[in-house]
Amino acid sequence: MTLIEMALKQTVSNTARSVTERVSRTPQPKVDWEDFNYPPYFRLIHYDEEDLQVPDQRFAVCWAHRSYILTVFLLVLNFLANVVLAAAGVPNSSVHILYSLFNFIIVSIVGGYSFFQAYKGLVKGSSKTTKKGLVAQSAVMLFIFLSCLLGSSNFNGWLNLRRSRHSTAWMVWTMIESSSWMANLVSAGVVFYLVNSSSTQSITWAPDLI
C-alpha cells in the first residue's frame, strides 16, 4: 500500500513538473507599445485587450475600460446639465460650467492614467505599475463618491435635492445623475477588486503607495 501511494505521488509530481515546464516554454506575446491606437482619432496610447492572455485579467481590464468610459460620459452629462442651468438663469451657473469643464479635463486624465497603468501592469506582470493604476483609481473613486453626494457648485448629487426643490426638472435630473454616479461608484469598486485580485504578483500597499 505504501508503494502504491509513493507511485501515485511520484506520478502527480512528474505531471505537475511537466505542465510547469510546458507553461514556462510557452512564448509570451510581444506587445508593441509604440502602436498607438487609443483613444480613437487621438491615438495617444496602445490598448488591445487581446494582449492579455489570462482570462481573469482580460475581464478585469474590460471592466476598467467600460467604467472609465462611463465616468467620462457622466462628466460630459454634468457639463451639459450646467450649461442648461446657466441658460435657464440659475445663479452662478456660468461659473459652475467652468468647474465642470475643469473636472472633465482632470478626472478624464487621471481616470485614463488609472485605466492604462492597470492594463499595462497586468500585461507586463508588474505589480508596481498595476499599483500605480490602483492608486489613481482610488482618487477617481473619491471623486465619483463626491459627485454622487454633493449638492453644491457644479455637483448634482443627492444633497442637491434641497437646492433644486423649486424646479421639478432639476430635481428629476438630480436623481438621475446621482443614481448614475452611484452605479459608477459600484462599477469602479468592482474594477479595483478585479484588477487587484487578477494581478499575478502580490501588490504590497505599505509602507509606500507608489
Side-chain angles (χ1 to χ4, degrees):
M1 194 67 180
T2 303
L3 292 176
I4 294 176
E5 290 179 353
M6 292 178 61
L8 287 174
K9 289 181 180 179
Q10 185 64 32
T11 301
V12 172
S13 177
N14 291 338
T15 302
R17 188 181 303 110
S18 176
V19 171
T20 301
E21 291 175 353
R22 280 202 303 271
V23 172
S24 63
R25 289 196 300 267
T26 301
Q28 297 298 317
K30 293 184 178 180
V31 179
D32 183 8
W33 297 106
E34 301 300 321
D35 177 24
F36 303 124
N37 59 355
Y38 188 88
Y41 306 109
F42 295 96
R43 301 178 183 275
L44 301 175
I45 62 173
H46 171 78
Y47 170 66
D48 186 353
E49 291 176 7
E50 297 303 318
D51 293 335
L52 293 155
Q53 302 300 303
V54 180
D56 287 347
Q57 293 181 341
R58 189 181 301 117
F59 181 70
V61 169
C62 181
W63 259 91
H65 182 219
R66 293 176 181 177
S67 180
Y68 173 62
I69 295 298
L70 178 58
T71 300
V72 173
F73 178 70
L74 291 177
L75 288 168
V76 172
L77 286 184
N78 178 261
F79 174 78
L80 294 177
N82 280 279
V83 170
V84 172
L85 291 172
V90 176
N92 300 321
S93 290
S94 298
V95 177
H96 296 166
I97 291 176
L98 293 178
Y99 293 159
S100 182
L101 181 60
F102 290 152
N103 287 342
F104 171 78
I105 295 172
I106 296 172
V107 178
S108 293
I109 293 174
V110 175
Y113 175 84
S114 169
F115 152 65
F116 179 67
Q117 291 299 315
Y119 157 71
K120 188 175 182 180
L122 293 179
V123 171
K124 298 175 65 176
S126 171
S127 61
K128 184 176 181 179
T129 303
T130 304
K131 183 167 62 175
K132 289 180 180 179
L134 292 177
V135 171
Q137 178 72 359
S138 300
V140 173
M141 289 175 63
L142 176 60
F143 174 83
I144 294 174
F145 172 75
L146 294 177
S147 296
C148 173
L149 179 66
L150 296 182
S152 59
S153 185
N154 64 291
F155 295 103
N156 293 309
W158 289 111
L159 294 179
N160 192 60
L161 289 174
R162 180 177 181 181
R163 183 175 60 164
S164 62
R165 64 185 182 277
H166 300 300
S167 171
T168 302
W170 194 4
M171 285 189 68
V172 171
W173 175 253
T174 294
M175 289 186 286
I176 293 175
E177 185 171 338
S178 299
S179 299
S180 299
W181 283 115
M182 183 179 294
N184 194 25
L185 180 61
V186 174
S187 174
V190 171
V191 168
F192 190 99
Y193 170 77
L194 291 176
V195 171
N196 184 55
S197 61
S198 65
S199 177
T200 55
Q201 296 185 4
S202 60
I203 300 176
T204 304
W205 293 98
D208 69 301
L209 295 177
I210 303 297

